[in-house]
Each structure stands twice: as structure tokens, then as C-alpha cells.
Amino acid sequence: MSTGYIEHLKELFCDIHEGVMKNLRETDKEYSELVRNNIEESIKIREILKSLNDEDRAFILRNKDCTGRLEWIERETIYFQGYKDCIKLMNILELI
């Protein structure tokens, strides 16, 4: 696949992801509650981070950033694999 095509798919993935997450927050009460809890816990975590020395705080923030990037890459990879599997299935079923 060309680089432009992949970049377009990534942009499309971001748009789709935002829509899916918005819909999830609006329709799934458990998820919405977890998001609210996470926001409240984040406030407490920021307070705890302030009490740490600079080195420990930087280490924890780097780890959090790394974890977030890992999760995004995994989510993106799973989405694209689903996209490829869908096309493959449509070919098998002779729909395309």
C-alpha cells in the first residue's frame, strides 16, 4: 500500500474512533461511569505526583505516555486488521 493511502486510512481511523468513543460515552452507562471515575482519580493522581521528586514524577509521566501510545498503536492495528479481514471476507463471499 502507498504511504498516502495508509495516511488517509489513519486519518479516517481517527475520525471513526472519535465518533465511536462519543457514541460509547452516550450509550454505555458503565463506560460513562468509568470515564467519570477516571477523571476524578486523575485529579488525585496529579496531587500525588506533585509530592514526588522531579525524577520520579518524570519517570511516571513517561510511563503513562508510553502506555497511552502503546494502547493507541494496538487499537489502530486491531482496527486496520478488522478492515483487512472485512475485505477478505467480502471477497470470500464474492460480494466484491
Side-chain angles (χ1 to χ4, degrees):
M1 280 188 226
S2 72
T3 304
Y5 182 73
I6 291 172
E7 289 306 313
H8 179 69
L9 282 177
K10 286 183 178 186
E11 185 178 318
L12 177 63
F13 171 75
C14 287
D15 292 343
I16 290 169
H17 181 264
E18 286 177 22
V20 168
M21 292 295 100
K22 181 178 185 273
N23 184 57
L24 183 59
R25 285 188 301 273
E26 292 172 354
T27 60
D28 188 312
K29 291 181 182 187
E30 179 183 10
Y31 180 79
S32 294
E33 184 63 28
L34 288 169
V35 169
R36 276 191 293 281
N37 288 343
N38 183 263
I39 291 168
E40 291 171 8
E41 290 169 355
S42 293
I43 293 167
K44 178 69 174 175
I45 288 170
R46 278 187 291 236
E47 292 173 15
I48 293 169
L49 285 172
K50 287 179 185 177
S51 70
L52 299 176
N53 64 48
D54 291 344
E55 183 180 342
D56 289 343
R57 182 176 31 259
F59 175 79
I60 289 172
L61 292 173
R62 278 192 313 271
N63 177 264
K64 182 181 180 216
D65 182 52
C66 180
T67 300
R69 289 191 324 252
L70 286 168
E71 290 172 350
W72 178 257
I73 291 168
E74 291 166 354
R75 190 177 303 132
E76 187 177 58
T77 300
I78 290 168
Y79 178 82
F80 285 131
Q81 186 59 50
Y83 181 78
K84 290 187 239 177
D85 291 345
C86 179
I87 292 172
K88 189 177 188 178
L89 178 61
M90 291 175 71
N91 276 323
I92 290 169
L93 296 174
E94 298 179 354
L95 297 173
I96 57 172

